[in-house]
Every structure is written in structure tokens, then in C-alpha cells.
Amino acid sequence: QLVLGMDLLRDCDALPAAGGTVADLTLVRRSPDAASWLARVEGESTAVLQDAPPALLSDREFMLAATQLDEQALHYAAPHVKNDRWAVLEMLRSDGRAFAHVAPALREDREIVLAAVRSFGCALSWAPPSLQADYAVVLAAVSQDGMALFHAPRDLCSHRGIVLAAARQCRAALMRAAPALRDDRDVVLAAVAQDGMALEHASARLCSDRGVVEVALHR
């Protein structure tokens, strides 16, 4: 099995084109049993892991590879793997959706949550309230997916930096923005640049702004 950096390469994946850059490739040798189960995960679904040998579900390297194929694989991991901070961080950097299956204790870990939302912004919905209210965590989440703003507390929906970052990613973010920010020209322009339909959530003043309307009509 070839690994590029920290990412598992599948048969259909292309190697980076030559051009002066050096590819960090690693050849990983797996037991025939592990390779067979990974092939089943890729070809069928993660549900096959419910019948996998406990030794594989307890193997950190096997579960890392399985989670790169499908984030739901973490659901079947042995408890000590779900609590393995290093392994979980690597899994989340690959696919933040795996955060749904992380051990409860690690969901309180700020670095774990940041890794998750940087990969999958809406993983914010699974974070504890204290981290859903963390400015840096929310900013990272909405910068990846503006829809994450819907999982942030109302007071952060009044922060211009957060709403502007969200609007640059998703026009629906304007729906969640505080009224004052729906009247902020830069925020509204960012939203309508994504989708002209966002204009319906802008203030009456900006709905009459010729420049804003022109941007909306061209989207």
C-alpha cells in the first residue's frame, strides 16, 4: 500500500506530476488479512467491520487506513483506539467527519476539535458548548464551510470576522447573521458573490444598493 504524505493512495489515485517537487511516498506492508479487510471496506462498506477480527479493530495503523477510506470506520474501532489522541488527530486531519465517532473525552480537546472543523466545518455541531463558543474554533469551522455558522451560538453571529468568513463560503450564512451584519455591505457582497439569491436576506438598504444588486444578478 502506497501512502503519500499522510494520505492512503487508492488504485484510482494519480501520483503528483513531476515538476521539481519531491513526493513523500511510503510503501506500507500489510498482512494479507489486513489488506483483505481494507479491500472489503473500500469495495463494500464500513459495515463489514462489525465482523472484523478484534485484533484488527485494536490495531491503530489498520484503523487509520480504514478511516481514510471511510470516516465511519472509527465507529467500529476498539475503545483504546478511539481514545488514542495521536491516532484520532491523524484521522480527523484526513476527514473531520470522523469526529462523530470520537471518544467523549477527546471531544473536549480543543486541538482535536480544531483538527475536525478544519477538515469538515460542520463537525462543530458535535463539539461541546464551550468549544462551539470558542472564537478561533468557530472561525476555523466557517472558513471551511459557511454552514457551520448555524452551529455557533448567537453571540458569535454578531462578530463581523466570523460572519464575513462564513459568507465567503456559503450564501446561506447571511440567514444566521445578526441584523447589523445583514446591513454590512462587505458581508452582503461576499454572500451574493457566492449566490445572488443571498440578497433576499440582506437589509432593505442594501437590497437597493446598485453595486450589490449588480453582483447578485451576475451570480
Side-chain angles (χ1 to χ4, degrees), residues 67-96:
T67 304
Q68 285 195 332
L69 294 172
D70 189 324
E71 88 287 345
Q72 294 187 50
L74 185 57
H75 173 72
Y76 300 96
H80 77 269
V81 176
K82 291 183 179 181
N83 280 285
D84 185 321
R85 190 174 186 275
W86 181 87
V88 168
L89 273 172
E90 294 305 318
M91 292 175 188
L92 294 176
R93 286 167 181 155
S94 175
D95 193 331

Side-chain angles (χ1 to χ4, degrees), residues 3-219:
V3 177
L4 176 61
M6 292 302 299
D7 297 322
L8 198 68
L9 289 180
R10 307 187 193 194
D11 292 341
C12 59
D13 292 332
L15 290 173
T21 58
V22 177
D24 181 16
L25 286 174
T26 304
L27 177 63
V28 178
R29 294 185 182 276
R30 304 192 190 283
S31 69
D33 195 30
S36 174
W37 280 99
L38 287 174
R40 289 189 64 187
V41 170
E42 185 171 18
E44 300 174 46
S45 76
T46 54
V48 302
L49 291 177
Q50 62 189 336
D51 299 318
L56 285 180
L57 301 180
S58 297
D59 186 301
R60 181 170 74 172
E61 299 304 322
F62 174 82
M63 291 311 306
L64 276 169
T67 304
Q68 285 195 332
L69 294 172
D70 189 324
E71 88 287 345
Q72 294 187 50
L74 185 57
H75 173 72
Y76 300 96
H80 77 269
V81 176
K82 291 183 179 181
N83 280 285
D84 185 321
R85 190 174 186 275
W86 181 87
V88 168
L89 273 172
E90 294 305 318
M91 292 175 188
L92 294 176
R93 286 167 181 155
S94 175
D95 193 331
R97 292 175 296 177
F99 188 63
H101 309 292
V102 168
L106 289 182
R107 293 192 187 192
E108 304 283 342
D109 186 311
R110 188 172 186 269
E111 187 179 358
I112 292 284
V113 175
L114 276 169
V117 301
R118 284 170 177 157
S119 175
F120 178 61
C122 285
L124 185 65
S125 65
W126 301 312
S130 61
L131 290 174
Q132 287 180 339
D134 184 304
Y135 182 94
V137 170
V138 174
L139 183 60
V142 300
S143 295
Q144 197 283 324
D145 184 347
M147 289 297 290
L149 189 63
F150 287 87
H151 304 297
R154 279 288 183 185
D155 62 315
L156 287 183
C157 296
S158 298
H159 280 257
R160 189 175 188 272
I162 284 177
V163 174
L164 186 57
R168 286 170 175 159
Q169 294 294 324
C170 174
R171 61 104 172 174
L174 203 56
M175 296 171 60
R176 180 74 170 165
L181 292 175
R182 295 186 192 184
D183 192 47
D184 184 306
R185 195 171 190 273
D186 289 338
V187 170
V188 172
L189 277 172
V192 298
Q194 293 295 316
D195 186 334
M197 295 297 291
L199 191 60
E200 64 183 288
H201 304 298
S203 67
R205 180 181 73 85
L206 290 178
C207 283
S208 301
D209 184 303
R210 181 175 178 177
V212 172
V213 172
E214 286 181 353
V215 172
L217 289 175
H218 285 87
R219 302 304 295 181

